[in-house]
Amino acid sequence: MSASSGGRPIVAALASPHVLATDAGARVLRDGGTAIDAAIAAAAVLTVVYPHNVALGGDLFALIRTPDGEVRCVNASGWAGTGVDADALRARHGDWLPARGADPVTVPGGVRGWEAMRAFGSRISWSATLSAAEVLARDGVAVAPSLANHLNDPENADLIGTEDFDRVFRPRGVSLGAGDLLRQPALADTLAMLRAEGPDAFYAGVLAERMVAHLRSHQSSLCLADFADFAPEVQEPLRMEFGELTVLTSPPNSQGFLLLRALAAVHEQGIDEPVGDGMGELLRAFHQGNAIRDSGLADPRFVAAGLAAGTPPGGSAAVASGTPRGDTVGIAAADGQGYAVSLIQSVYHAFGSGLIDPATGVLFHNRGCGFSLNPASPNVIAPRKRPAHTLMPAMTLRQGRIGHVLSTMGGQGQPQILAQILLRGLAGAAAIDAVAAPRAIVGNQNGGGPDTVTVEADLPDGAVASIRRAGFTPTVVAAHTEFLGQANVIVADDGGALTAASDPRSDGAAVVVHYPRPTPP
């Protein structure tokens, strides 16, 4: 779905992967909130209606532009517990943590991430931001097609019969289907407590005590101090000049550098038609970058790696065998006051760890399986270390003003999806056409391995031929499959008019709305 302001005065734009999330954000805008408020309201609703992709128990990255023209990155990716023992985990699991259970659960950073975002320019209360999410959790919401597909996906069959999963998603002994009512009363109570007591309740209050107790009952090494001590980092984004645009994304431990590296290759190698007859050359650049990521991306507080510059660190590439199917939500928001947000939030694999605390209703991500257990890897798990992360918001500026706000799910393919959308837009495609266009992704996206190229069935013949010339054998999947991402974008034209687009691969919506000017203090 797409929406455009046409010739009317621009107020704000928002796009998300679920229509109810977009509706909640739009209401916040009409109530006088900023793009920051709208993005958080939408994200909170998504933790209720899209639990295969996001939950209160997950991580967050965001790029935020403020009216003074500054852009900052909020890195709210959680860390491993103080008591984590790499040797003990290696003895149990080998070189990689499993996808399910307590061992891959790291401290969820998302709620603290919302708090950090608000400091850049919020105009409505914390309580009001979470109101719609609480109502939907308590009253129930119709199961969306994407959620229903994941509930019935054989990839998630390992969760059937587990107490936590069955309690929420199989209340009558059968998985909920599209249109069935999903009620989450415990999650509603948690959202009510968060509204009343603020984000501290999640990390240092009763909610934290309940969550940690549940995790500990499953032999997690996380403790209350790991939650209480956690704080996001506010960082300078990575940036590069690409034509008339400044492209910005998140620094390591995020894989954002891959987007800039590929765009640099387009420019330096003179790749013509990089989303057409030059698609193979673009994917070759990403293939090379993926190897750098897989061998060297890690928490820069622990490892000095020149990933931002694309310098390959030592060591051989090694990646976990699991393919995240679910993963992430991306939200794009911008307003006439000069605020813009690209927000990415996640549970990693579909339904994350599979653990859902019965006392709080919080589903926990499994981001810890992004760590290696190989002691030679820079990404080896360690106390208070953050895993190598797929989440990566993106944004462009044109002479200091917003050009694009881009966000997507898609696991390791996120930089490739964002590059293809941006390059199509720069070639003249409208926002919705750039988002809906067929995609190709190299790497372990839909099964296979690092050399696998997954292409949607409607990718033009010239692009497919280019991929073959680059030495890859395409694996064809259905058109508009969500496993090649669900993207949301906002594009500003030279006059500042905004167009928003939500991916047809999702259950989302995009909207441009008018809002009342805030009353001067």
Side-chain angles (χ1 to χ4, degrees):
M1 174 180 175
S2 69
S4 176
S5 64
R8 299 188 299 274
I10 298 302
V11 178
L14 178 70
S16 92
H18 195 291
V19 63
L20 293 179
T22 300
D23 288 348
R27 285 195 299 273
V28 163
L29 289 166
R30 293 186 182 104
D31 288 342
T34 66
I36 294 171
D37 297 312
I40 296 170
V45 166
L46 287 167
T47 67
V48 175
V49 303
Y50 243 41
H52 56 307
N53 282 6
V54 67
L56 286 182
D59 280 350
L60 175 155
F61 280 77
L63 287 180
I64 302 171
R65 183 196 186 272
T66 47
D68 61 4
E70 293 294 317
V71 179
R72 294 289 185 270
C73 177
V74 173
N75 178 342
S77 58
W79 54 34
T82 307
V84 72
D85 184 335
D87 289 334
L89 292 170
R90 193 175 300 116
R92 287 204 298 276
H93 305 300
D95 282 347
W96 297 97
L97 284 164
R100 309 295 191 191
D103 281 342
V105 179
T106 51
V107 171
V111 173
R112 280 285 188 226
W114 293 344
E115 179 186 32
M117 290 172 62
R118 284 173 55 81
F120 287 96
S122 173
R123 295 191 187 276
I124 66 170
S125 71
W126 167 264
S127 176
T129 307
L130 305 186
S131 175
E134 182 194 345
V135 170
L136 291 168
R138 195 173 308 283
D139 293 348
V141 62
V143 170
S146 177
L147 173 56
N149 289 340
H150 281 83
L151 286 170
N152 292 284
D153 190 330
E155 292 283 335
N156 301 316
D158 61 311
L159 295 174
I160 295 174
T162 61
E163 182 179 355
D164 288 355
F165 188 80
D166 284 2
R167 183 181 59 252
V168 177
F169 298 113
R170 294 169 57 84
R172 294 177 296 279
V174 178
S175 295
L176 295 171
D180 289 345
L181 195 64
L182 170 63
R183 287 193 176 96
Q184 300 171 81
L187 182 60
D189 290 345
T190 289
L191 287 161
M193 188 175 293
L194 281 176
R195 291 180 64 201
E197 300 182 17
D200 285 350
F202 195 88
Y203 293 93
V206 172
L207 294 177
E209 293 173 0
R210 292 171 178 170
M211 289 187 292
V212 170
H214 186 63
L215 292 170
R216 299 286 286 191
S217 75
H218 289 269
Q219 290 72 58
S220 172
S221 66
L222 291 169
C223 65
L224 283 169
D226 295 322
F227 275 66
D229 294 347
F230 175 74
E233 277 194 80
V234 176
Q235 305 168 311
E236 286 290 327
L238 300 182
R239 63 180 68 214
M240 69 170 290
E241 303 304 313
F242 186 72
E244 64 175 5
L245 298 177
T246 301
V247 183
L248 304 105
T249 187
S250 46
N253 55 313
S254 161
Q255 65 171 338
F257 75 97
L258 287 177
L259 172 63
L260 306 191
R261 189 181 187 280
L263 292 178
V266 170
H267 173 69
E268 293 166 5
Q269 298 173 24
I271 299 175
D272 293 327
E273 300 184 59
V275 288
D277 290 350
M279 176 76 82
E281 296 173 76
L282 178 66
L283 293 187
R284 189 187 291 121
F286 274 115
H287 181 258
Q288 295 165 352
N290 288 352
I292 295 170
R293 175 198 62 204
D294 295 341
S295 63
L297 181 60
D299 188 340
R301 299 174 306 143
F302 288 72
V303 178
L307 292 178
T311 303
S316 60
V319 294
S321 58
T323 304
R325 306 187 80 178
D327 180 60
T328 300
V329 296
I331 298 167
D335 67 39
Q337 301 176 67
Y339 292 99
V341 178
S342 171
L343 183 153
I344 317 293
Q345 203 159 332
S346 173
V347 293
Y348 201 34
H349 290 63
F351 305 104
S353 67
L355 296 181
I356 307 170
D357 174 23
T360 63
V362 172
L363 185 157
F364 297 99
H365 65 173
N366 61 346
R367 272 291 162 184
C369 66
F371 282 117
S372 174
L373 295 182
N374 181 345
S377 171
N379 187 41
V380 65
I381 196 168
R384 299 289 172 97
K385 188 175 183 179
R386 302 172 301 196
H389 229 291
T390 58
L391 298 190
M392 51 160 299
M395 188 179 291
T396 77
L397 303 178
R398 185 182 290 107
Q399 297 181 341
R401 299 189 302 273
I402 280 295
H404 305 79
V405 183
L406 307 114
S407 63
T408 190
M409 64 90 86
Q412 70 93 37
Q414 288 182 34
Q416 302 180 55
I417 296 164
L418 295 174
Q420 290 173 44
I421 291 170
L422 179 60
L423 290 166
R424 288 185 189 280
L426 294 177
I432 186 58
D433 295 327
V435 167
R439 296 171 185 156
I441 296 179
V442 63
N444 189 12
Q445 190 70 18
N446 194 44
D451 301 328
T452 300
V453 173
T454 306
V455 305
E456 291 186 300
D458 53 346
L459 192 72
D461 291 344
V464 174
S466 171
I467 291 168
R468 293 186 186 279
R469 287 196 303 273
F472 300 113
T473 300
T475 298
V476 180
V477 296
H480 283 175
T481 173
E482 66 180 89
F483 298 131
L484 268 66
Q486 297 174 347
N488 292 282
V489 305
I490 293 169
V491 179
D493 67 17
D494 292 340
L498 301 177
T499 299
S502 183
D503 204 318
R505 298 168 182 84
S506 73
D507 303 294
V511 65
V512 173
V513 301
H514 295 267
Y515 67 96
R517 288 285 176 181
T519 303

